[in-house]
Amino acid sequence: MAQAAQFGLEDILFKQGLINSSQLSAIKLESINSGKGAEQLIQEHQIVPPDKLLAARAQLLGVPFIHLEGRPISSDVLNLVPESVARRYNLIPFDKKADKLFVAMLDPLDLQVVQFIETKSGLFVKPYLAATDDINAAIGEQYSQNLSTEVTSALKEVTELNKQATEDTVTQEGTEIIREAPVSNIITHLLDYAVKANASDIHIEPLEDKTRVRYRIDGILHEKVILPRGVHDALVSRIKILSSLKIEEKRLPQDGRFSYAAGQKMYDLRVSTVPTIYGEKVVMRLLPKNTLPPTLHDLGLRAMALKILEAQITRPHGIILICGPTGSGKTTTLYSVLTKLSTTKVNVVTVEDPVEYRIAGANQVQVNPQIGLTFASALRSFLRQDPNIILVGEVRDSETADLAIQAALTGHQVFSTIHTNTAAGALPRLLDMGMEPFLIASSVNAAVGQRILRQVCMHCRTAFTPPPEVEASIRKVLGKLAPADKQLALYRGTGCAECGNTGYSGRIGIFEVLPMSTKIMQLILERASAQQVEDQAVAEGMITLKQDGYMKALEGITTLEEVLRVAEE
């Protein structure tokens, strides 16, 4: 409050560099002459953008400022403050942590309202300042996504459905009721939430006494919704109807898909069901339609690794293998490469399981083992389609590997993925599949190893000096790549409203690119181990996954813990 007495809003804006000394003097003079407040004058003359002005006001009041747009709010937080109260007092709760409730308010200094919310919620209120339009939009958007009403309605519907099924024993009629039930509204809200939270997967899991819904956001599962156990079967049945799966088959796993529109965007949803001891678990993967893949630079490739890969993908023939475990972003990297290469002058054919992105100008085929359309059979047919570039979703067996090598040796560019932990491991893996060493050495141009890790939230990122033993470990791993005469600094996210108090927001890749050199060819001919191949590649200048991760940690892109989580052997 002492600061508020000495400084006005205009002084804070001047200190932040948003207005200059001439504007500061003019505002003070006009305020004295006109009797208008500085904030009113700044708004009238549009000197500072509204969000910057509001953030300065928050600093003046000594409270944090928050943007609510695009931020998902879980139903258990919304349920602490009824919608009618939120609208009446222009506020909305947006997060909860231990005994604290974080509330965005138009007037965060209204102690009477703060005490009222504390009494109603039983939690200590941490007020934030937010714009009126932002709060009203969030109230309209978030409370409409609150599942409480829909769940209650669905439970009643399910109870009626169960009674009717018992009395009538007419399964078709029961199916129709499920189609019309509020259960479909619950699924709509679950999907909308996933889109807004940028989730990649939705897990609907039956437990002994409840059903939980978890979202995979930035590669980590977050529990967001708990539903009564009684609504589970109706939810699964509705999803099966959408996915054209057999409703009555509950003993075997099933796979299906359907499309979903969220605003102007369309999504493909891959649906998988498996029977568990408490019922069927459903996982839905969201795949955006008509979305361009990120560029190689956006993925996290840079410097020498980016230069080497770009040089390798322009070669007219040979194989490039993308390596890593499931969920490491291999397919996205392949799409980024193909988007760069696909032009009207080349014939691009792909065989995938499934087709995740649409590539303009490419002929994309989805495997269907039930009718005999496998990676190998499609690849065999592709060779009669006059292709320039062939993408094979995954090298799973010796037949596919052999065909891919033959295609590369006969003048085609071939791109594929293989499940190995490192780039060096891809070459011995092909040997294990029965491929001849001289064919591997002649056909493989490069192998790329990769992982995905979470980025530090830029809104709450803070720097710190690592302990001496940690710094010594970093310098040992980086070797000549470490800054020479400079104190190392690492970064962490303290947790804020923008990142849901996780300290992380968004993801980026770490990479190692291993080009085929003369010495590595010789090692393959000698059937050398993956470690021997990697040692030679490092001696020739390859930056390893761990080194790339450490450099990104030193730059403040991610944390050391994240690098160790995904790249530690």
Side-chain angles (χ1 to χ4, degrees):
M1 297 302 294
Q3 185 184 18
Q6 295 176 12
F7 295 98
L9 189 68
E10 66 277 19
D11 297 299
I12 291 175
L13 292 170
F14 174 70
K15 191 174 181 181
Q16 293 177 343
L18 294 171
I19 61 174
N20 56 40
S21 56
S22 300
Q23 290 172 317
L24 177 64
S25 301
I27 290 168
K28 286 183 178 289
L29 182 62
E30 186 175 350
S31 179
I32 293 170
N33 293 333
S34 66
K36 295 180 179 179
E39 184 173 357
Q40 182 181 350
L41 292 172
I42 292 167
Q43 287 176 326
E44 286 178 358
H45 297 304
Q46 298 180 346
I47 300 172
V48 175
D51 59 330
K52 300 291 186 184
L53 184 62
L54 208 58
R57 191 205 299 170
Q59 184 176 334
L60 182 69
L61 298 176
V63 297
F65 174 67
I66 185 172
H67 283 292
L68 295 169
E69 185 180 358
R71 177 187 177 83
I73 303 174
S74 62
S75 58
D76 60 330
V77 172
L78 290 172
N79 289 338
L80 294 169
V81 178
E83 184 177 356
S84 57
V85 173
R87 290 191 180 279
R88 181 177 179 183
Y89 295 110
N90 280 309
L91 56 86
I92 184 170
F94 60 86
D95 202 2
K96 181 178 69 170
K97 196 173 185 181
D99 62 343
K100 290 184 180 179
L101 181 65
F102 299 88
V103 182
M105 305 176 65
L106 181 61
D107 184 5
L109 297 187
D110 191 334
L111 298 181
Q112 191 172 0
V113 173
V114 169
Q115 289 173 358
F116 173 68
I117 300 300
E118 287 181 339
T119 303
K120 196 161 191 67
S121 65
L123 298 170
F124 173 74
V125 168
K126 174 70 175 174
Y128 281 65
L129 178 67
T132 306
D133 293 343
D134 206 9
I135 292 173
N136 290 335
I139 290 172
E141 182 180 339
Q142 299 293 343
Y143 278 99
S144 67
Q145 294 181 10
N146 193 358
L147 302 181
S148 300
T149 306
E150 286 80 5
V151 169
T152 303
S153 178
L155 281 172
K156 292 178 181 177
E157 195 74 35
V158 170
T159 303
E160 293 172 8
L161 174 58
N162 289 338
K163 287 180 181 178
Q164 187 164 353
T166 303
E167 293 169 2
D168 299 342
T169 66
V170 181
T171 57
Q172 180 62 36
E173 193 172 351
T175 299
E176 291 303 320
I177 292 175
I178 290 175
R179 287 180 189 273
E180 303 298 330
V183 171
S184 60
N185 292 334
I186 297 177
I187 294 170
T188 299
H189 288 296
L190 291 176
L191 294 174
D192 284 344
Y193 187 94
V195 170
K196 292 181 185 301
N198 200 26
S200 60
D201 301 85
I202 307 171
H203 293 240
I204 301 175
E205 303 168 300
L207 305 178
E208 186 174 6
D209 56 351
K210 60 187 177 183
T211 291
R212 71 177 176 185
V213 181
R214 294 192 291 172
Y215 293 85
R216 190 173 293 280
I217 302 170
D218 291 338
I220 304 296
L221 281 172
H222 298 269
E223 184 178 291
K224 292 293 184 181
V225 182
I226 295 295
L227 302 176
R229 184 67 179 83
V231 80
H232 182 81
D233 289 344
L235 273 177
V236 175
S237 295
R238 178 60 183 160
I239 293 169
K240 283 184 173 182
I241 289 170
L242 292 170
S243 310
S244 301
L245 301 178
K246 296 177 182 178
I247 298 176
E248 67 279 2
E249 180 55 79
K250 300 182 179 182
R251 301 165 302 168
L252 295 173
Q254 296 188 70
D255 294 300
R257 65 191 308 148
F258 65 94
S259 295
Y260 179 73
Q264 299 298 316
K265 291 186 176 180
M266 288 293 297
Y267 290 82
D268 270 332
L269 279 98
R270 283 165 44 193
V271 179
S272 172
T273 69
V274 295
T276 72
I277 58 173
Y278 296 120
E280 289 183 280
K281 175 182 175 178
V282 177
V283 175
M284 295 185 284
R285 169 157 289 186
L286 284 82
L287 301 168
K289 284 186 177 180
N290 305 320
T291 301
L292 289 176
T295 65
L296 293 173
H297 184 271
D298 291 339
L299 290 175
L301 273 157
R302 61 199 183 158
M304 188 57 67
L306 178 60
K307 185 177 180 180
I308 292 171
L309 183 58
E310 286 183 332
Q312 293 297 330
I313 64 178
T314 57
R315 295 178 65 176
H317 54 80
I319 300 176
I320 291 180
L321 293 169
I322 312 295
C323 316
T326 301
S328 59
K330 300 186 297 296
T331 304
T332 302
T333 301
L334 278 182
Y335 280 135
S336 298
V337 170
L338 240 60
T339 301
K340 188 179 180 72
L341 297 178
S342 182
T343 67
T344 56
K345 297 180 180 180
V346 292
N347 177 23
V348 179
V349 290
T350 80
V351 55
E352 307 166 60
D353 182 21
V355 175
E356 295 189 11
Y357 293 95
R358 304 293 192 267
I359 301 172
N363 304 284
Q364 296 175 268
V365 175
Q366 182 163 315
V367 300
N368 188 348
Q370 294 179 346
I371 61 172
L373 181 56
T374 63
F375 283 118
S377 64
L379 187 50
R380 196 176 288 109
S381 300
F382 284 170
L383 297 177
R384 297 190 291 272
Q385 287 280 316
D386 185 31
N388 298 101
I389 299 170
I390 300 172
L391 182 148
V392 183
E394 184 184 343
V395 175
R396 292 180 177 174
D397 51 47
S398 57
E399 186 182 7
T400 307
D402 184 55
L403 287 167
I405 286 175
Q406 294 304 322
L409 292 174
T410 52
H412 304 92
Q413 271 186 305
V414 181
F415 297 91
S416 190
T417 69
I418 191 167
H419 283 279
T420 59
N421 288 328
T422 62
L427 305 175
R429 179 67 184 275
L430 291 174
L431 289 172
D432 293 340
M433 288 183 178
M435 301 301 103
E436 291 294 338
F438 69 92
L439 292 178
I440 298 172
S442 304
S443 62
V444 177
N445 290 342
V448 180
Q450 70 176 76
R451 299 287 191 280
I452 296 179
L453 40 73
R454 293 179 292 172
Q455 296 186 85
V456 174
C457 174
M458 294 300 167
H459 294 90
C460 62
R461 185 183 72 170
T462 58
F464 67 96
T465 302
E469 61 273 17
V470 174
E471 179 170 342
S473 174
I474 293 172
R475 289 190 180 278
K476 182 180 178 181
V477 170
L478 289 180
K480 296 179 180 179
L481 298 172
D485 301 318
K486 181 181 176 184
Q487 175 71 51
L488 299 186
L490 295 174
Y491 298 81
R492 63 165 70 98
T494 56
C496 66
E498 295 291 334
C499 62
N501 290 308
T502 63
Y504 296 97
S505 180
R507 290 196 287 176
I508 197 165
I510 54 175
F511 297 85
E512 58 185 17
V513 180
L514 188 158
M516 185 67 74
S517 66
T518 304
K519 289 185 178 180
I520 291 176
M521 282 184 184
Q522 186 60 42
L523 287 174
I524 294 302
L525 294 174
E526 296 170 1
R527 295 183 177 268
S529 68
Q531 188 59 55
Q532 290 174 295
V533 172
E534 181 171 313
D535 290 344
Q536 179 58 39
V538 170
E540 294 177 5
M542 183 183 81
I543 296 173
T544 66
L545 284 170
K546 200 170 183 180
Q547 288 176 328
D548 191 28
Y550 275 20
M551 287 191 289
K552 286 184 169 74
L554 292 176
E555 292 172 20
I557 297 172
T558 187
T559 66
L560 191 66
E561 291 79 9
E562 269 295 285
V563 178
L564 294 173
R565 181 178 71 86
V566 303
E568 188 76 297
E569 291 299 325

